[in-house]
Amino acid sequence: MLILGIDPGTHTGIASYINGKLMNLATVAPIDIAECIEATRPARVVFEDSRLESYTWTSIKSRPAALKMARNVGEVDAWCKLIVAICAKLDIPAHGISPKGKGAKVDAARFAEITGWSGASNEHTRDAAMVAYPYRNAK
């Protein structure tokens, strides 16, 4: 049984759990999200959903930088909507987890301890894996 974890963003992280074991990590462009879901037809998709946060934490002081961040968050929100729509079309259960609900980012060493993954990873693939980790055995 395949569970797909997704961390949507400019560099979208994808994590594949098969029968509870982390089997693959990949980074794809947002345009490839639909293809990944359609090609693998997972039993479930779990994704980090920025729309579930009531506000964005930022210490940005300049207005132009704050506006750029707002545009970036808006893009991620749109990709979250896309994931939900693709999964609905394919009748695949999908649900989002808030960034806060996912928990803090983990470095490669801690990630290996938690998941048993010994291959290469990056911030995006680790986030994708961690968002799906609690559901890796779900049906």
Side-chain angles (χ1 to χ4, degrees), residues 84-119:
V84 170
I86 293 162
C87 290
K89 176 182 171 186
L90 300 173
D91 200 30
I92 296 170
H95 67 278
I97 304 297
S98 74
K100 185 178 178 182
K102 175 196 55 98
K105 294 190 179 297
V106 295
D107 64 19
R110 180 72 180 124
F111 182 71
E113 287 175 22
I114 295 167
T115 64
W117 183 257
S118 60

Side-chain angles (χ1 to χ4, degrees), residues 22-84:
L22 183 58
M23 300 300 288
N24 189 50
L25 296 176
T27 305
V28 302
I31 195 166
D32 297 323
I33 294 171
E35 184 179 327
C36 287
I37 295 170
E38 290 173 355
T40 59
R41 300 281 175 141
R44 175 177 301 276
V45 170
V46 185
F47 61 99
E48 186 169 333
D49 191 345
S50 56
R51 302 170 301 163
L52 299 175
E53 293 292 336
S54 58
Y55 63 94
T56 302
W57 295 276
T58 180
S59 60
I60 295 174
K61 305 275 191 250
S62 79
R63 180 164 170 76
L67 291 172
K68 182 180 182 328
M69 177 180 242
R71 282 193 307 272
N72 292 348
V73 170
E75 288 175 353
V76 174
D77 287 355
W79 294 324
C80 290
K81 288 178 184 178
L82 174 70
I83 292 166
V84 170

